Amino acid sequence: MTARACVIGWPVEHSRSPVIHGYWLKQYEIEGAYEKEAVRPEDLKSFLQQLWTHGYIGANVTLPHKEAALRAARSADEAAVTIGAANTLWLDPDGTLHASNTDAYGFMTNLDAEAPQWSEGLGAVLVLGAGGAARAVLYGLIKAGVPQILLANRTRARAETLAAAFGPRVQAVDWEARNEALGACGLLVNTTSLGMTGQPPLEIDLSAMPNSAVVADIVYVPLETPLLAAARARGLACVDGLGMLLYQAVPGFERWFGVRPEVTPDLKAHVKAHVMATLGDQ
Ligand code: ATR
């Protein structure tokens, strides 16, 4: 039987997941399929209850369904529970729906791959933003043993709520204090939408960062954001957002199709070409 999975979103047209999973299905010559499913928020619960009837063994979940998907699942792993959102679902043979969140895995695996030295003499980490992506990044960094994380967000109250949820290793700092905070930081992570095509640039001065520091952006349109361009000009190691997107797809593909797929330069070039070709659709 052909194994089928899908990505569920509303809208779902913009999702890159079919490009990634389609590439791997072809590469590993797997008789499987990966579809897009546009599902309205009010229909999500019943769609997930009938996932098997719809012909699927699992799914990715994208905006705006990530929190509701977690609630709809019978079991969830620690990452999904702590992050408060699910992006990867699968049915076990008795029909139980399981939920995971692989965004933190994706971020950390990409960071390890692109800047393996990131944790040497690290000091603190500055994370910008306090949305769903920030939650995943904080979870990943804490799991990796980072002792001190500074969290800056335009709306300080959101940073404080998130810091409180993650415990004493995370401290909220003023958005206005971000440049100053960088002096103590070996890693900067942008999880805001600033710098994305169509959004304002992220205004930040990297001059206080140590020379060994790493700058990571989760924005991947454009691939080289103004933040990463500034980091490169300053001689700092850069980690772009596309790698996180590729790595977060790995555990789902393995779960549904039985092969642990590799993230290769060729896959990255393939997805990048697709992103560039479809920019006008955004
Ligand atoms: P996601 O779940 O993808 O992380 P989100 O919850 O919409 O998305 O969060 C977007 C982040 O970008 C937030 O941290 C947001 O700051 P606020 O909490 O103050 O809204 C940040 N952001 C968006 N536009 C911004 C801007 N012009 N200046 C500063 N931060 C901005």
Side-chain angles (χ1 to χ4, degrees):
M1 199 187 74
T2 303
R4 292 172 75 235
C6 63
V7 54
I8 304 169
W10 184 260
V12 76
E13 247 349 276
H14 64 277
S15 172
R16 315 289 180 194
S17 292
V19 181
I20 302 170
H21 292 286
Y23 176 97
W24 283 330
L25 285 171
K26 206 168 149 194
Q27 190 196 342
Y28 296 107
E29 299 178 349
I30 292 169
E31 203 192 311
Y34 189 95
E35 323 273 359
K36 284 181 188 173
E37 289 283 356
V39 176
R40 292 173 192 276
E42 59 270 31
D43 297 332
L44 181 73
K45 200 172 164 196
S46 75
F47 187 91
L48 291 179
Q49 281 166 348
Q50 293 166 51
L51 197 59
W52 178 256
T53 315
H54 287 291
Y56 296 117
I57 54 168
N60 283 126
V61 186
T62 186
L63 298 177
H65 297 320
K66 288 182 166 190
E67 287 84 7
L70 175 64
R71 290 193 297 272
R74 187 93 60 83
S75 86
D77 66 8
E78 187 200 303
V81 171
T82 311
I83 296 166
N87 71 343
T88 304
L89 305 174
W90 66 94
L91 288 168
D92 69 15
D94 71 12
T96 302
L97 185 65
H98 297 275
S100 176
N101 190 310
T102 65
D103 286 333
Y105 167 84
F107 175 74
M108 296 307 300
T109 311
N110 186 47
L111 182 62
D112 287 339
E114 298 292 318
Q117 76 289 5
W118 71 270
S119 60
E120 283 164 29
L122 178 66
V125 176
L126 178 64
V127 175
L128 302 176
R135 284 192 93 92
V137 167
L138 290 179
Y139 176 79
L141 291 171
I142 286 172
K143 275 271 161 193
V146 170
Q148 194 190 7
I149 302 170
L150 308 174
L151 185 61
N153 192 53
R154 174 181 59 180
T155 311
R156 186 179 163 116
R158 285 186 87 193
E160 277 171 4
T161 305
L162 201 50
F166 278 94
R169 286 202 262 169
V170 185
Q171 291 159 252
V173 296
D174 277 343
W175 180 246
E176 287 70 29
R178 60 195 182 283
N179 293 341
E180 218 175 296
L182 282 177
C185 294
L187 173 64
L188 165 65
V189 187
N190 174 45
T191 77
T192 75
S193 47
L194 295 171
M196 193 185 291
T197 302
Q199 299 286 321
L202 168 63
E203 282 172 27
I204 194 156
D205 179 354
L206 302 176
S207 51
M209 283 197 102
N211 292 337
S212 58
V214 175
V215 175
D217 203 335
I218 70 153
V219 172
Y220 63 88
V221 181
L223 197 54
E224 172 122 322
T225 57
L227 170 64
L228 293 183
R232 213 175 293 283
R234 162 82 173 68
L236 305 177
C238 293
V239 178
D240 68 57
L242 192 55
M244 174 182 179
L245 181 76
L246 304 179
Y247 282 106
Q248 65 76 33
V250 168
F253 188 92
E254 181 179 26
R255 182 73 70 175
W256 308 317
F257 302 117
V259 172
R260 191 158 185 91
E262 261 191 274
V263 171
T264 58
D266 189 63
L267 170 65
K268 195 166 184 180
H270 179 75
V271 177
K272 185 182 166 188
H274 185 271
V275 170
M276 302 311 282
T278 55
L279 269 186
D281 303 346
Q282 293 296 304

